[in-house]
Amino acid sequence: MKGMPLMCSNVEVKMLKDEMQKLKDKQTFVASWDPQTMLPPFTDVVMQATDGRLVHSHASTLTGKSEVFKEMFLRMKGTNDGPIELKMDMDHEALQSFVHFFYTGSVNDEAMDSLADELLRAAEKYKIPLLHQCCQEKLVNSIHPDKIFQLYVLGIKCDAHELVQAVINYAAISFGDVSEIDGYEEFLKDDPALVAKLCNSVVKRLKKLKDAHID
């Protein structure tokens, strides 16, 4: 009868469970790696963090997920016979999480809590769209009065449109007047043009909110 919920048979339920298990198994297979393969002699890329510690990886994995790495390695082809050596502008923990993402498509929650801003910069620099999106989502949900200017600058520099718009919305709804936000004077001294841009965006957002309320 119309309006009655559709009922699945036991066979259909079993088929659905089987398909879900297959999908889970595929995800596990793709994201699981033998730890020994992440060390020499199986790796061919050595990445040095800002503190000097090393993270090993595979050129094929990096180039398969990043056009930036692909172009970089093509330019370096034939320059040496040993592993590719890269100095990275990330600390060791961030670099580990960054490389881990190439193999699993994920960053553990604890790392994302503390490293989302640094990983967003890396995602933008090396053009990793999925990581870029994951970091934006985390940062959008962590907007705080003490971070408004910091996150706005980060969003602008990393071409993170969702983060920028979220900061503008937060500033408009929570403050209205950007000059009332803690750190305004320092931000004004550091980048007056960016302050003007934020103020203008907040004013426009307030007008839209007012017009929507009137309608």
Side-chain angles (χ1 to χ4, degrees), residues 15-182:
M15 290 176 62
L16 180 59
K17 287 182 177 179
D18 288 344
E19 287 301 316
M20 291 177 66
Q21 185 60 49
K22 287 179 183 178
L23 179 60
K24 184 178 179 180
D25 291 342
K26 287 180 181 179
Q27 291 175 331
T28 300
F29 176 78
V30 170
S32 299
W33 296 82
D34 183 342
Q36 288 187 340
T37 66
M38 301 303 297
L39 294 169
F42 300 102
T43 56
D44 55 0
V45 178
V46 181
M47 310 171 90
Q48 185 179 51
T50 52
D51 63 0
R53 287 187 286 176
L54 305 178
V55 175
H56 300 270
S57 58
H58 306 84
S60 58
T61 301
L62 299 177
T63 57
K65 304 294 183 181
S66 167
E67 284 295 323
V68 175
F69 277 123
K70 183 178 180 180
E71 293 175 7
M72 182 189 304
F73 292 164
L74 284 174
R75 291 196 301 270
M76 299 171 68
K77 188 176 181 180
T79 57
N80 60 64
D81 297 327
I84 298 172
E85 298 180 356
L86 300 175
K87 286 190 175 182
M88 307 294 288
D89 54 352
M90 286 180 270
D91 64 34
H92 186 253
E93 186 180 1
L95 182 56
Q96 280 187 315
S97 294
F98 178 65
V99 171
H100 179 79
F101 189 85
F102 279 83
Y103 294 87
T104 65
S106 65
V107 176
N108 70 63
D109 293 338
E110 184 177 347
M112 186 62 86
D113 286 341
S114 59
L115 300 170
D117 55 346
E118 193 166 359
L119 291 174
L120 179 63
R121 295 187 189 95
E124 172 63 18
K125 180 175 181 179
Y126 294 99
K127 305 304 177 189
I128 315 297
L130 180 58
L131 178 58
H132 195 276
Q133 183 61 35
C134 291
C135 293
Q136 277 202 87
E137 291 174 0
K138 180 63 181 181
L139 292 167
V140 164
N141 291 320
S142 65
I143 296 176
H144 183 274
D146 295 339
K147 294 183 176 180
I148 290 177
F149 296 126
Q150 173 190 343
L151 292 178
Y152 182 71
V153 172
L154 178 66
I156 292 293
K157 290 184 176 180
C158 292
D159 202 24
H161 301 298
E162 291 180 24
L163 177 58
V164 170
Q165 292 306 312
V167 170
I168 292 170
N169 282 335
Y170 185 91
I173 294 171
S174 301
F175 293 92
D177 186 348
V178 174
S179 65
E180 295 179 358
I181 303 173
D182 288 341

